[in-house]
């Protein structure tokens, strides 16, 4: 049973560049979530998918951010024109609805540093 | 607006003793509460949860207590072990998709 995986684990980029992160959920999980965690804070909800449909987006998700989950499997999170304030850990989680609707299983995260 | 608060950023406890972690929330619509544990370089891992219709849930060495009138929950770890040294996050939900997290409490278990 493989858990949630994320790639890359670390990304360093220059301000203004675009970056894309990938998340592979637990295989049978139909829900996928993205969170962002900054230093000294807990994870903050960004968006989630039920299968391939993106059902909710936080106001934290500016129009520079876009997430997709084609075919309801892996997901990508793209940040365009990165800013230094985007530096954070980006966490992906998945869950199986409705059997364990509140228990989300997290991946190791992608740490983004914007110089 | 921080709806889930963990006011103690750190806790140090001797091995074998009880660890008590506290969490307060402001949103009365929260109906499910969870604790996650996080080691460095790993994502948070689910530890234990409790529904708002209960006031206690126990799983091995871990017990979560919920006081709805005080909007307060706590996690008890008995006995504490060196492997329990980690960051613990309290989380809450009022729907079935979004978790609101506290800032975390770093627990250090001393030998």
């Amino acid at each position: 049973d493989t858990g949630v995986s994320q790639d890359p684990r670390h990304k360093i980029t220059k301000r203004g560049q675009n970056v894309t992160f990938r998340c592979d959920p637990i295989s049978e999980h139909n829900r996928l979530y993205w969170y962002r965690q900054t230093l000294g804070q807990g994870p903050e909800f960004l968006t989630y998918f039920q299968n391939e449909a993106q059902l909710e987006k936080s106001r934290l998700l500016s129009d520079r951010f876009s997430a997709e989950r084609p075919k309801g499997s892996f997901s990508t999170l793209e940040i365009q024109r990165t800013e230094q304030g985007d530096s954070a850990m980006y966490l992906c989680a998945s869950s199986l609805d409705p059997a364990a609707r509140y228990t989300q299983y997290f991946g190791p995260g992608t740490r983004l540093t914007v110089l | 607006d921080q709806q889930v608060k963990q006011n103690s950023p750190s806790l140090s406890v001797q091995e074998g003793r009880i660890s008590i972690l506290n969490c307060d929330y402001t949103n009365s619509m929260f109906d499910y509460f969870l604790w996650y544990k996080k080691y460095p370089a790993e994502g948070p891992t689910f530890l234990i949860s409790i529904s708002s219709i209960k006031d206690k849930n126990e799983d091995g060495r871990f017990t979560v207590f919920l006081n709805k009138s005080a909007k307060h929950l706590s996690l008890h770890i008995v006995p504490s072990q060196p492997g329990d040294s980690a960051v613990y996050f309290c989380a809450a939900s009022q729907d079935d998709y979004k978790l609101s997290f506290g800032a975390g409490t770093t627990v250090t278990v001393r030998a």
Side-chain angles (χ1 to χ4, degrees), chain B residues 11 13-14 16-21 35 37 47-48 59-65 74-81 83-86 88 107 109:
Chain B
L11 172 69
V13 63
Q14 193 164 10
R17 306 295 291 267
I18 184 172
S19 294
I20 299 176
L21 291 78
W35 285 93
K37 176 180 178 179
L47 197 56
I48 193 169
D59 183 2
R61 297 185 298 115
F62 302 93
T63 303
V64 56
F65 296 92
S74 61
L75 174 68
H76 292 205
I77 307 173
V78 183
S80 299
Q81 299 174 353
D84 297 331
S85 295
Y88 289 78
V107 172
V109 180

Side-chain angles (χ1 to χ4, degrees), chain B:
Chain B
D1 59 336
Q2 193 78 4
Q3 298 184 73
V4 179
K5 297 181 182 179
Q6 294 176 257
N7 292 319
S8 297
S10 64
L11 172 69
S12 180
V13 63
Q14 193 164 10
E15 182 179 1
R17 306 295 291 267
I18 184 172
S19 294
I20 299 176
L21 291 78
N22 294 303
C23 177
D24 298 294
Y25 61 96
T26 57
N27 186 345
S28 58
M29 298 298 292
F30 286 145
D31 63 356
Y32 207 81
F33 303 88
L34 307 90
W35 285 93
Y36 280 83
K37 176 180 178 179
K38 185 181 182 305
Y39 293 118
E42 295 184 11
T45 55
F46 170 73
L47 197 56
I48 193 169
S49 61
I50 187 168
S51 165
S52 61
I53 63 174
K54 297 185 177 180
D55 55 18
K56 177 182 174 181
N57 188 27
E58 191 172 354
D59 183 2
R61 297 185 298 115
F62 302 93
T63 303
V64 56
F65 296 92
L66 176 63
N67 183 334
K68 283 199 304 179
S69 60
K71 295 191 179 66
H72 177 84
L73 66 156
S74 61
L75 174 68
H76 292 205
I77 307 173
V78 183
S80 299
Q81 299 174 353
D84 297 331
S85 295
V87 179
Y88 289 78
F89 291 101
C90 171
S93 179
Q94 65 179 88
D95 41 52
D96 65 354
Y97 61 89
K98 175 183 174 182
L99 295 179
S100 297
F101 284 84
T105 296
T106 300
V107 172
T108 303
V109 180
R110 310 186 311 272

Side-chain angles (χ1 to χ4, degrees), chain A residues 9 31 33 35 101-102 104 107, chain B residues 36 41 43 95-97 99 102:
Chain A
R9 296 291 304 274
R31 286 195 171 185
Y33 313 81
Y35 288 81
R101 60 195 312 175
Y102 290 104
Q104 299 179 16
Chain B
Y36 280 83
D95 41 52
D96 65 354
Y97 61 89
L99 295 179

